[in-house]
Every structure is written in structure tokens, then in C-alpha cells.
Amino acid sequence: AVVTGTGRDELIEGLRALAQDETRPGVVCPGMAADASGRTAFLFSGQGSQRAGAGAGLYAAEPVFKAAVDEACQHLDPLLGRSLVELMCAEPGTEAARLLDHTYYTQPALFALHLGLYRLLEHHGLKPDFLAGHSVGEISAAHCAGVFSLADAARLIVKRAELMGQLPPGAMASIQATADELTPHLTDQVCVAAYNTPRHTVISGDPDAVADIVEAFTAQGRRVKRLATEHAFHSPHTESVLDAFREAAEQVTYHPPHTPLISNLTGQPAETDQVTTPAYWSAHIRQPVRFADMLTTLAGAGTNTYLDIGPTPTLAPLVHHTLSDGADNNSDAETDTPTVLTTLHPDHHDTHALTTTLAHAHTTTHP
């Protein structure tokens, strides 16, 4: 068991509750899903998960996190022409904070935050058996897997952000629908951008075409969410930047991953001769994210603990929808229920959120 608290009094009350077998916030005991033989996957979030001030608490309190972010920014800042930490730690609502929603800054900021969280989790003894990311998050995953150096990753992420920020106006939306249900509605102007879960699909394309599909599925009573982006990622809109991005990717030195990396393009473990080529990372911009397939691949490989690494828990719900929704049909559903942990949360202070994650991790698969 683990007892957490912000001070002596909370810790004492937690210990008393533990001794009396009482439920209390800050007291974490091993759950039914604890299984030391299971494997762990780190999942790095994509664009849309950004949040002003995310990580600021860790940056002020955790030297390991700060050192990792500062190291990343030593490479990113000269390319961006300004201090990225100032934007990441900006007060919500300020002009600096609003810049975080501009693709040019969003993607590098996510990368720096991902690296800080990865190094901090590693420092506390959490080691992944698999690495994966959603869209731009796969660049973070690939760097942590050793595919490219920090300097190369910084150049790649900034060029990607620069080019994608220059795309024409577009729209994206998440629809509560299977890919088959959406197929009759797709045209040359709108396509599938991500297969997030078996029943949640992201579309991308011209604003009017996306709006028509949103209206049709809203009328059916389906859950629909327009994504906070002015561009249509993973759509034909991106084809105008692929050659320029490939030129940048050709300047990168690639290495075989030292930790298995799950591919957005295939949903399967990435082959070394695939993920170490400029062609892969160019296609990565255009092709859909097969996240549901990635999760089923991880589950099939024995993964039962998933860490959503990012500013806001965006991937954790996808894990639950993909891997837990079918548990009722399983004769041993309890043991098949994955442990899904988040790193940061908008409703909790950074240090509290991360401490809680570490507590749950060390009482499940990381004793």
C-alpha cells in the first residue's frame, strides 16, 4: 500500500485509515488487477491534449523533470525563436498561453513535456515494455525508443509543426461511429484520420464536408465532438507538405529502437527497416492513426498497464473503450481489465497527479 499527502497531518490520517482498513483519498492499496507478470506500455498523447500550465508544477518541484525539459528546449528554442518553457508554464488565458494552441508551438511543447514525464517516470523506477504515441506523440515515443537523437527529434518536430501550421483551413471531428458506418459519408473532401476505438472514429477534411457528417450523426443521437484545430491533419490537405517534410527527415540519423515501438501506420510492432526511413515519417503525417489496432496489439502481447503520458488524459478513455468494453463477454473479465493510469490532470496539481500515478503503478505491476 501507499499513503500520499501534502503534509504531516494528511499522512498521519492516511496511515490511520490504512491501519483501520478504511477508504480514504491518498491511500492506495493493491487492486484486483495487480499482476506482476503483466507488461507496461507508455502512450504519448497527440495534438489536442495540450493545456496551458501543464507541467509547471513539476518544472518548479522536480529537478529531473526540469532538467529533461530544459535539455529539450536547448534544442527547440533556437529553432522556434523563443522560449518554449515560457509558453508551457504560462498562466491560462494569457497571450503566451494562447500560443500553445498554434500548431507551430503545440507540437514542440508536447514533445518537451513528454520527454520530461518520461524521464521522471524512469527516475522513479517505471520502465516501459512498449512505447506508442498518438499521431505526433509517436515522434516522442520513437525518440524515447532511441530511433533518433534529441537534436534530430527537435529538428523533425519543429519542421513538422512549421509545415502543418501552414496547411489550408480544415476541420476534424470525433464521431461515435464505426469506420463502416462512416464509409458511405466519406468523399474526396473528407476521410478517416484516426481509428481511435472500435466505435469512435475521427474524420478530417474540408470544413463544410466535416460539418455535414457531424450534422448527420448528431441527428442520429450519436456523440460528436469537433476537435480544436484549424487544420485537417491526416487528410489530403497534408499532401502539399509531404515532400518538404521528407527532405527534413532525410537529414536525420536513424537507429533501431531499443524498446518495442507500436506503429500508427499498421497498428503492429514497428519493423526496424520501416521506422528508420524518411518515407515512414512522411506517410505518418498523411495516413490515419490506427490506435485501436495498436491497443489490441499491446493487449495481445500481454500488456495490462497503460500510462497516458500527456497534459490531459485523452488516451486513457480510448484504452477503456477499446479493451474494457468487451470484458463483459469474457469469462474471466476481472483479470482482463487493464490498469490505466494518467500522469497529469487539469483538476489536480501536477505533483499530486503524478504521485497518485506512481502510487497506483507501484501497487500493481511495479512493486
Side-chain angles (χ1 to χ4, degrees), residues 21-47:
D21 199 23
E22 296 176 352
T23 300
R24 178 183 171 84
V27 178
V28 180
C29 297
M32 294 294 292
D35 179 5
S37 67
R39 305 177 108 184
T40 297
F42 283 10
L43 310 176
F44 296 89
S45 63
Q47 190 160 343

Side-chain angles (χ1 to χ4, degrees), residues 46-50 100-104 106-107 135 164-174 193 202-207 210 225-235 237-238:
Q47 190 160 343
S49 66
Q50 70 271 10
L100 267 187
D101 288 327
H102 291 233
T103 297
Y104 182 64
T106 305
Q107 297 188 5
S135 190
M164 296 183 79
Q166 296 170 0
L167 294 177
M172 300 179 72
S174 175
V202 176
I203 58 171
S204 179
D206 293 353
V210 170
K225 180 182 179 182
R226 293 176 181 268
L227 304 189
T229 175
E230 298 176 347
H231 305 293
F233 303 135
H234 301 284
S235 81
H237 285 208
T238 65

Side-chain angles (χ1 to χ4, degrees), residues 24-193:
R24 178 183 171 84
V27 178
V28 180
C29 297
M32 294 294 292
D35 179 5
S37 67
R39 305 177 108 184
T40 297
F42 283 10
L43 310 176
F44 296 89
S45 63
Q47 190 160 343
S49 66
Q50 70 271 10
R51 175 171 57 87
L58 294 180
Y59 190 81
E62 295 285 351
V64 171
F65 178 87
K66 182 180 186 299
V69 171
D70 285 347
E71 185 183 7
C73 290
Q74 286 175 6
H75 296 278
L76 294 166
D77 287 359
L79 300 171
L80 294 169
R82 67 173 304 153
S83 167
L84 192 57
V85 167
E86 288 182 6
L87 304 187
M88 295 170 65
C89 296
E91 286 292 325
T94 62
E95 182 58 34
R98 284 190 283 272
L99 287 176
L100 267 187
D101 288 327
H102 291 233
T103 297
Y104 182 64
Y105 297 111
T106 305
Q107 297 188 5
L110 282 174
F111 174 78
L113 180 74
H114 288 159
L115 185 57
L117 289 171
Y118 176 81
R119 296 300 180 204
L120 187 55
L121 292 170
E122 186 179 53
H123 172 72
H124 285 290
L126 272 64
K127 300 291 181 66
D129 298 292
F130 299 100
L131 293 165
H134 192 291
S135 190
V136 68
E138 188 171 353
I139 291 184
S140 300
H143 166 63
C144 291
V147 173
F148 23 67
S149 69
L150 181 55
D152 278 341
R155 284 191 287 269
L156 202 62
I157 200 88
V158 170
K159 177 55 70 173
R160 189 182 195 275
E162 175 190 338
L163 292 171
M164 296 183 79
Q166 296 170 0
L167 294 177
M172 300 179 72
S174 175
I175 312 286
Q176 183 193 19
T178 66
D180 288 343
E181 288 175 318
L182 280 166
T183 297
H185 299 266
L186 303 179
T187 67
D188 291 342
Q189 285 74 48
V190 63
C191 66
V192 170

Side-chain angles (χ1 to χ4, degrees), residues 41 43 45 306-310 312-317 340-344:
L43 310 176
S45 63
Y306 300 81
L307 268 76
D308 181 342
I309 298 180
T312 307
T314 55
L315 302 182
V340 185
L341 305 174
T342 61
T343 45
L344 297 177

Side-chain angles (χ1 to χ4, degrees), residues 41-44 130-135 137-138 141 195-196 261-269 280 284 288-301 303 306 315 322-323:
F42 283 10
L43 310 176
F44 296 89
F130 299 100
L131 293 165
H134 192 291
S135 190
E138 188 171 353
Y195 301 92
N196 275 348
L261 181 69
I262 309 300
S263 167
N264 278 196
L265 271 60
T266 66
Q268 301 294 318
Y280 176 87
H284 184 264
V289 178
R290 299 187 176 277
F291 198 70
D293 289 341
M294 295 164 65
L295 293 175
T296 54
T297 292
L298 287 166
T303 304
Y306 300 81
L315 302 182
T322 301
L323 302 181

